[in-house]
Structures are given as structure tokens and as C-alpha cells.
Amino acid sequence: MKSVFVSGVALVLPFAVSVPAHAQWAVYDGANHVQSVLIAARALQQVNQQAQSLTNEATMLENQARNLTSLPFSVLAPLDQSIAQTEAIVGQAQGLSYNLSSIDQAFSQTYPQALASPGSAAQMTGDAQTRWQNARGAYQDGLRVQTGAVQNLDSTGSQIDSLVTSSQAATGALQAAQSGNQLMALQTRQLADLTAVTAAMGRAQALEGARQVESEEQGRAQLANFLNYGAGYTPGTAQMFH
């Protein structure tokens, strides 16, 4: 029995060895697969980082564009116009203008420091009338400047409201800065109006004070001229009958 099995095996082995192998099995390399996955993950991470970087750059450019956007509302034109109106009112000063040379000339003629000897009655009356007109005109000029400053309050209020609304809706640093600058410009205009009013009323008070001082000087000169009546009465002989 054993000899039969051996001989059978001996017959089968050569046959099995001589038959060519047509089927091949794929070999799975786990380490290589893991390495490939890690490389792909790193590449994906780099892509995500680059995409995030591009997104950040785009956001930065948007913010820069927003910060460089100008404020759509501006009060500079009406502000310049109101300042020009105030300057025009001040420039229309009656009598003595805001000019150093004209003021010095007027005070040397109409408001002299001393009257040695008064002139004619017509001249004294004319000088007094000129001084009164200067004082009256100065008070009128002061009221006109005050009226212009009060009229500017309405436009200033509406402009401030518009600027505050624009500043609250500002989308960038430039718009916020421009809103602040224009608000400061409005405050400067108000200070300019206040300065003009103060100057106009100060001018009126100064001219009224000068008129009073000159009236006192004129009265003193007239009294001195009246009291200076010469040597007085000198008695002498008179022949009444021939």
C-alpha cells in the first residue's frame, strides 16, 4: 500500500511542476499606503493654507479699499459760502473800516487829542455829526453781523445732523476722519462768527466811547474859548458935549 502511494505521488509531482501558473496575486504594502496618505494629507493642508492666505489677502484689500473710500457728504462748500457772507458783512462797515491807516487818519482829523481853539460853529457841528454817525453806523454794523451769525445757526444744525448720520454710517477710517474734520470745520466757522460779532460790537463801543471823549474835549475847548474874553473892561474918559 505504501509503495503504491509513493509511486502515485511520484507520478503527480512531475505533472504539477510542469503545468505553468497563469494566476497572480496582488501584494498589499501597508507601509507604502500609509506614506501615500500622509503625503496627500500634507498636500491638502498646504492647499488649504494657501486658500486661507488668499482669503486673508482679499479681506485685507477690501478693508484697504473701504478705508480709502471718501465720505459721500461734504459741508465744505456751504461752509465756505457762509464764511464769505460773514466777511462781506464785516467788510461793509460804515464810517471807519477795519483798516489801520484809515483809523489813524480818522482819529487825527475827527477825533483829535486836543482842540487848541475850536473852529466855526458849522465846523464843530459837522465834526460832532460825523462822530455820531460813526457810532450809530458801528452799532448797526454790529447788529448786522449778529443777525448773520444767528442765521447761520439753522444751516449749522442741519449740517451737523447730516455729518453725525454720515459718521455713524462710515465704513472706513477715511470716512470717519473726514466726518471728524468737517465737524471741526463747523466749529471753526462758529468761532469765526463769534469773533466777527465780538469785533463788531467792540468796534461800536469803541467808537461810542471815542465820541463821548471827543465831545468832552470839544466842550472843554468851547468853555476855554468863552472864558478867554480878553483884557476886560478898561475905564477911560469920555466927552459927551462939544
Side-chain angles (χ1 to χ4, degrees):
M1 184 70 180
K2 183 177 180 182
S3 60
V4 175
F5 176 75
V6 172
S7 60
V9 172
L11 293 174
V12 173
L13 285 176
F15 179 78
V17 172
S18 62
V19 176
H22 296 282
Q24 295 181 357
W25 297 92
V27 179
Y28 173 74
D29 190 348
N32 188 22
H33 179 71
V34 172
Q35 186 68 23
S36 299
V37 172
L38 291 176
I39 293 174
R42 293 191 187 97
L44 180 61
Q45 184 180 6
Q46 292 179 355
V47 171
N48 290 334
Q49 291 177 351
Q50 293 177 354
Q52 185 63 38
S53 178
L54 292 175
T55 302
N56 294 336
E57 290 181 0
T59 303
M60 181 181 65
L61 292 176
E62 290 178 358
N63 292 333
Q64 290 179 352
R66 189 178 299 112
N67 289 331
L68 295 176
T69 302
S70 299
L71 191 69
F73 179 76
S74 176
V75 298
L76 296 181
L79 187 63
D80 292 339
Q81 183 178 1
S82 62
I83 292 177
Q85 291 176 354
T86 302
E87 291 178 347
I89 295 175
V90 173
Q92 295 172 359
Q94 306 176 56
L96 275 71
S97 61
Y98 291 93
N99 184 278
L100 293 178
S101 60
S102 62
I103 290 176
D104 293 339
Q105 182 179 2
F107 264 74
S108 64
Q109 296 177 356
T110 312
Y111 304 87
Q113 185 174 359
L115 292 175
S117 58
S120 62
Q123 181 180 356
M124 289 187 294
T125 302
D127 292 341
Q129 181 71 14
T130 300
R131 291 190 291 268
W132 177 82
Q133 289 177 349
N134 289 339
R136 180 185 181 278
Y139 278 110
Q140 184 180 5
D141 294 337
L143 291 175
R144 294 178 71 245
V145 175
Q146 287 181 352
T147 302
V150 172
Q151 290 177 349
N152 287 335
L153 292 178
D154 294 336
S155 61
T156 300
S158 61
Q159 290 167 0
I160 289 177
D161 292 340
S162 300
L163 277 176
V164 170
T165 302
S166 299
S167 63
Q168 291 177 346
T171 59
L174 180 59
Q175 290 187 356
Q178 289 178 338
S179 298
N181 292 337
Q182 293 188 50
L183 285 173
M184 292 180 61
L186 284 174
Q187 293 178 353
T188 303
R189 197 278 305 280
Q190 290 179 323
L191 290 176
D193 286 345
L194 180 60
T195 301
V197 170
T198 303
M201 295 309 299
R203 173 177 177 269
Q205 294 174 0
L207 287 176
E208 173 59 20
R211 185 190 69 81
Q212 294 177 2
V213 169
E214 194 63 28
S215 297
E216 294 176 0
E217 171 60 20
Q218 182 173 330
R220 183 201 63 78
Q222 288 176 338
L223 178 61
N225 186 57
F226 174 77
L227 294 178
N228 187 17
Y229 48 82
Y233 174 73
T234 302
T237 59
Q239 184 178 1
M240 298 181 62
F241 302 100
H242 294 283

